[in-house]
Amino acid sequence: MCPYIGWTNHSDPVSEFILLGFTCTWAMQIFLFSLFSVMYVLTLIGNLCITCTVWWDQHLHTPMYILLANFSFLEMWYVTSTVPSMLANFLSETKTISFSGCFLQFYFFFSVGITEDFFLSAMASDRYLAICRPLHYPRIMTKQLCTGLIVFGWSCGFILFLTPVVLISQLPYCGPNVINHFMCDPVPLMMLSCSEDTTTQLIYSTFNSIFMTGTFLFILCSYALVILAVLRMPWAASKRKAFSTCASHLAVVILFFGSVMVMYVSPGSEHPVEMQKLVTLFYSVITPLCNPLIYSLRNKEMKAALKKVFGSEISVHKT
């Protein structure tokens, strides 16, 4: 059954939205439901394994791995903010989401995304200090500073995005109420507003441009300095280890920021609807699935810790 195009009475405010999703073919919806269900479960398992490994292995209680554990824990919430709703949508005939539910999804998804930006920046700073300032690293990157970065990242991510969400939610919505997307994305939401609020659009686009571009440039500059420092290292073994760690971090940064900046740094630009869905799908579903693979497969210490922790758990259960 194909989802219908919903219109509300123009004199009444919108109380719910219709998320069209990807397709109206029932067989394809079942296939996509199965595919994304598997991807969601694998994402949760992969990131949970990294989080638990860092928690249980005392050797990984260093700033680099503590930040990684928080990042992996964050990824589980990131996919959970959208994927379960998307899966339910595949099996729904009405494909509706309440007004408050739509903006709650919008808020949590982008707040967690901002928190990811903070943690990626903190991880870049940690690698810069460890490689470029190794003698000062223990004095600078203390347990207190690491804890402060974690608390700052989690709190600021959820505080900063309150303003755009409140502004967009206060726009007048009187119909139509159809969002040609699989989630409550801000750009389609603003397009559904009965009146064009250029101030809200300007604040939103400025917020995204400054924050995303600023954090991205900060991370790139940090890793540029790291790469220069690595190239000056006299020992090949040290170079390989440093490059391996930085390559993992850079791969995650490029995957995440590359797709996000295409969509949100210039929201005024016209993107084809299907491209919007594919790009959003990439950074909201595929990237969180790839992150545990990137970090665990390219990091010898993480691979050894995973084998140690989960190998011992399997041995205990066998005995």
Side-chain angles (χ1 to χ4, degrees), residues 207-284:
F207 177 87
N208 280 340
S209 298
I210 293 175
F211 184 80
M212 291 183 185
T213 305
T215 52
F216 184 60
L217 290 175
F218 174 81
I219 293 170
L220 285 185
C221 290
S222 298
Y223 282 117
L225 294 172
V226 167
I227 291 171
L228 289 174
V230 170
L231 291 174
R232 290 196 293 265
M233 289 181 177
W235 300 286
S238 300
K239 283 184 178 182
R240 283 195 299 270
K241 183 178 180 180
F243 268 128
S244 178
T245 302
C246 294
S248 300
H249 289 201
L250 273 174
V252 172
V253 168
I254 292 170
L255 282 173
F256 179 74
F257 276 97
S259 53
V260 169
M261 290 178 74
V262 167
M263 289 296 298
Y264 298 110
V265 168
S266 55
S269 60
E270 293 293 330
H271 299 295
V273 174
E274 294 306 316
M275 191 191 93
Q276 289 182 28
K277 295 179 187 178
L278 289 175
V279 173
T280 306
L281 182 69
F282 185 82
Y283 69 76
S284 64

Side-chain angles (χ1 to χ4, degrees), residues 4-310:
Y4 56 85
I5 303 297
W7 291 77
T8 61
N9 189 326
H10 283 255
S11 62
D12 299 326
V14 168
S15 61
E16 63 182 21
F17 294 101
I18 298 171
L19 295 172
L20 290 185
F22 290 101
T23 179
C24 62
T25 304
W26 179 250
M28 182 59 68
Q29 289 183 25
I30 296 299
F31 170 75
L32 291 174
F33 173 83
S34 304
L35 175 64
F36 292 131
S37 295
V38 172
M39 293 175 68
Y40 177 58
V41 171
L42 290 176
T43 301
L44 293 181
I45 292 173
N47 285 287
L48 183 62
C49 284
I50 290 179
T51 305
C52 292
T53 299
V54 174
W55 178 269
W56 288 330
D57 194 325
Q58 296 292 326
H59 295 95
L60 298 182
H61 287 187
T62 62
M64 182 179 99
Y65 290 107
I66 291 171
L67 290 170
L68 174 59
N70 276 270
F71 182 77
S72 296
F73 183 68
L74 186 68
E75 290 284 61
M76 292 189 286
W77 289 104
Y78 188 59
V79 294
T80 302
S81 64
T82 56
V83 176
S85 173
M86 180 177 68
L87 294 176
N89 200 312
F90 282 127
L91 304 181
S92 171
E93 292 187 358
T94 59
K95 301 188 181 298
T96 59
I97 184 171
S98 67
F99 185 92
S100 58
C102 184
F103 278 94
L104 276 174
Q105 183 190 67
F106 170 25
Y107 170 67
F108 280 106
F109 179 72
F110 284 91
S111 295
V112 173
I114 287 176
T115 307
E116 279 202 12
D117 291 352
F118 274 118
F119 277 108
L120 287 171
S121 300
M123 291 162 75
S125 300
D126 176 72
R127 289 303 83 205
Y128 166 76
L129 291 172
I131 295 173
C132 300
R133 299 287 184 271
L135 298 178
H136 302 285
Y137 180 79
R139 180 175 57 84
I140 299 173
M141 188 57 74
T142 60
K143 183 179 179 180
Q144 290 76 15
L145 178 59
C146 185
T147 303
L149 288 172
I150 291 169
V151 172
F152 180 80
W154 279 101
S155 57
C156 280
F158 284 90
I159 293 171
L160 282 177
F161 214 79
L162 274 173
T163 301
V165 171
V166 170
L167 286 174
I168 296 174
S169 67
Q170 295 304 308
L171 294 174
Y173 295 95
C174 50
N177 64 337
V178 177
I179 301 175
N180 193 0
H181 213 302
F182 63 86
M183 60 169 284
C184 289
D185 192 78
V187 177
L189 279 171
M190 285 189 285
M191 291 174 64
L192 287 180
S193 175
C194 300
S195 63
E196 185 176 355
D197 190 333
T198 55
T199 303
T200 297
Q201 292 178 7
L202 180 62
I203 292 173
Y204 173 73
S205 60
T206 303
F207 177 87
N208 280 340
S209 298
I210 293 175
F211 184 80
M212 291 183 185
T213 305
T215 52
F216 184 60
L217 290 175
F218 174 81
I219 293 170
L220 285 185
C221 290
S222 298
Y223 282 117
L225 294 172
V226 167
I227 291 171
L228 289 174
V230 170
L231 291 174
R232 290 196 293 265
M233 289 181 177
W235 300 286
S238 300
K239 283 184 178 182
R240 283 195 299 270
K241 183 178 180 180
F243 268 128
S244 178
T245 302
C246 294
S248 300
H249 289 201
L250 273 174
V252 172
V253 168
I254 292 170
L255 282 173
F256 179 74
F257 276 97
S259 53
V260 169
M261 290 178 74
V262 167
M263 289 296 298
Y264 298 110
V265 168
S266 55
S269 60
E270 293 293 330
H271 299 295
V273 174
E274 294 306 316
M275 191 191 93
Q276 289 182 28
K277 295 179 187 178
L278 289 175
V279 173
T280 306
L281 182 69
F282 185 82
Y283 69 76
S284 64
V285 180
I286 297 174
T287 300
L289 174 63
C290 294
N291 289 349
L293 295 174
I294 292 171
Y295 281 115
S296 60
L297 293 179
R298 292 192 61 88
N299 190 303
K300 291 183 180 180
E301 290 180 349
M302 180 57 68
K303 284 193 289 186
L306 285 167
K307 289 178 182 178
K308 176 183 173 183
V309 170
F310 292 99

Side-chain angles (χ1 to χ4, degrees), residues 314-319:
I314 293 170
S315 300
V316 168
H317 287 300
K318 284 184 178 179
T319 55

